[in-house]
């Protein structure tokens, strides 16, 4: 953009910043969902403060995050992900290697600074931040849940409706996730070909082992594969 006259300089420079930010993250092998989520958070903050990055201040971040907590009652992990998105974006546009500070100085007479720091962000101090009011199902509750799923299949089929097949699919998916301890996306991406024999558990036949192909990935890495062995039978 050096030396080029722009029709809408503020909007076009900001758009170019977002494009460069996305490309930098993709170059680091970050997931597209992560890239898109951060971009949406930056856009949301920009819309809230109604000004562009070279005019941002820490006080704006304080007010934004405060409103998200008090007015929208967002979870702590969500608040932290939003602030981390803005922090990462500011780190990108203030890095001398990308020359955005020089571009902004030339065009707008000011430049972006890091507005997210240790005094206005929450620290991630523990792995589990789930709502303490939530708990795992008891065995009795699990049994009741699976029984309800099976009863729904029988009920819908007795009415002569086609909906019994989706109900049967859902019941099977729930039991599979419980039996193998798979996460939501891991369960969603399973295929029949992912099940195979376990030579040390011949009693399970062709379902002695589950090969999870879309396991939770580490930062900047592809989905992690892992195998899960069948260790107990589910009641038919």
């Amino acid at each position: 953009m050096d030396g080029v006259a722009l029709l809408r300089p503020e909007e076009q420079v900001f758009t170019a910043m977002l494009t460069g930010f996305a490309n930098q993250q993709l170059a680091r092998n970050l997931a597209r969902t992560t890239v898109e989520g951060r971009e949406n958070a930056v856009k949301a903050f920009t819309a809230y403060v109604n000004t562009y990055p070279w005019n941002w201040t820490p006080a704006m971040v304080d007010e934004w995050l405060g409103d998200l907590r008090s007015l929208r009652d967002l979870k702590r992990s969500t608040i932290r992900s939003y602030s981390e998105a803005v922090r990462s974006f500011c780190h990108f546009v203030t890095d001398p290697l990308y020359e955005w500070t020089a571009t902004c100085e030339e065009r707008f007479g000011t430049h972006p600074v890091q507005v997210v720091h240790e005094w206005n962000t929450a620290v991630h101090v523990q792995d589990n931040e789930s709502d303490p009011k939530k708990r795992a199902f008891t065995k009795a509750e699990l049994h009741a849940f699976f029984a309800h799923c099976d009863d729904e299949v029988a009920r819908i089929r007795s009415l002569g409706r086609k909906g019994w097949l989706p109900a049967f699919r859902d019941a099977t998916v729930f039991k599979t996730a419980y039996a193998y301890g798979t996460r939501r996306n891991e369960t969603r991406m399973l295929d029949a070909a992912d099940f195979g024999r376990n030579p040390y558990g011949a009693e399970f036949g062709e379902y002695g082992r589950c090969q999870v192909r879309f396991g939770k990935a580490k930062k900047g890495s592809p989905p992690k594969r892992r195998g899960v062995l069948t260790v107990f039978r589910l009641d038919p």
Side-chain angles (χ1 to χ4, degrees):
M1 290 187 178
D2 292 342
V4 179
L6 302 178
L7 181 62
R8 300 182 301 277
E10 293 187 335
E11 179 181 339
Q12 290 175 269
V13 168
F14 179 56
T15 300
M17 283 179 169
L18 288 174
T19 300
F21 183 47
N23 290 336
Q24 183 238 31
Q25 294 176 93
L26 292 173
R28 294 162 52 200
N29 277 339
L30 298 187
R32 289 188 179 275
T33 53
T34 300
V35 176
E36 292 170 0
R38 288 179 174 179
E39 180 178 342
N40 290 336
V42 171
K43 288 180 177 178
F45 176 58
T46 304
Y48 179 86
V49 298
N50 195 29
T51 190
Y52 290 102
W54 44 91
N55 295 320
W56 291 353
T57 66
M60 294 178 179
V61 178
D62 297 349
E63 183 179 352
W64 180 53
L65 297 180
D67 280 357
L68 292 178
R69 281 292 305 278
S70 59
L71 300 181
R72 296 181 56 188
D73 194 27
L74 297 184
K75 295 183 179 297
R76 289 179 172 84
S77 57
T78 304
I79 296 292
R80 192 175 58 255
S81 70
Y82 284 3
S83 63
E84 180 57 32
V86 176
R87 185 208 301 271
S88 298
F89 177 76
C90 289
H91 182 74
F92 166 74
V93 296
T94 58
D95 191 327
L97 294 175
Y98 294 100
E99 301 182 348
W100 284 114
T101 52
T103 298
C104 292
E105 280 282 4
E106 178 184 348
R107 293 187 180 275
F108 312 120
T110 185
H111 60 83
V113 297
Q114 179 59 264
V115 295
V116 181
H117 50 80
E118 60 178 337
W119 293 107
N120 63 356
T121 53
V123 179
H124 190 189
V125 294
Q126 59 184 15
D127 293 332
N128 189 349
E129 292 185 327
S130 60
D131 189 338
K133 294 189 294 293
K134 296 181 179 180
R135 61 169 176 79
F137 284 167
T138 64
K139 289 185 178 181
E141 289 170 339
L142 280 170
H143 179 77
F145 173 70
F146 291 136
H148 172 73
C149 292
D150 293 337
D151 291 343
E152 279 295 289
V153 176
R155 182 186 67 82
I156 297 172
R157 190 172 186 179
S158 67
L159 297 175
R161 297 178 181 176
K162 296 181 180 179
W164 74 270
L165 282 173
F168 179 70
R169 175 205 60 199
D170 293 345
T172 303
V173 167
F174 289 139
K175 293 175 183 177
T176 301
Y178 172 67
Y180 293 97
T182 51
R183 299 180 177 89
R184 180 174 56 185
N185 190 59
E186 293 173 345
T187 305
R188 183 176 68 89
M189 301 303 292
L190 284 177
D191 194 2
D194 295 327
F195 295 89
R197 286 183 173 273
N198 173 12
Y200 300 101
E203 67 272 20
F204 299 114
E206 297 297 329
Y207 299 94
R209 184 175 186 272
C210 175
Q211 180 65 34
V212 178
R213 292 178 290 118
F214 288 85
K216 185 176 181 180
K218 293 184 178 180
K219 190 174 183 179
S221 301
K224 184 179 180 181
R225 289 174 175 260
R226 64 188 178 93
V228 184
L229 299 180
T230 304
V231 294
F232 63 93
R233 288 186 179 277
L234 283 178
D235 294 332

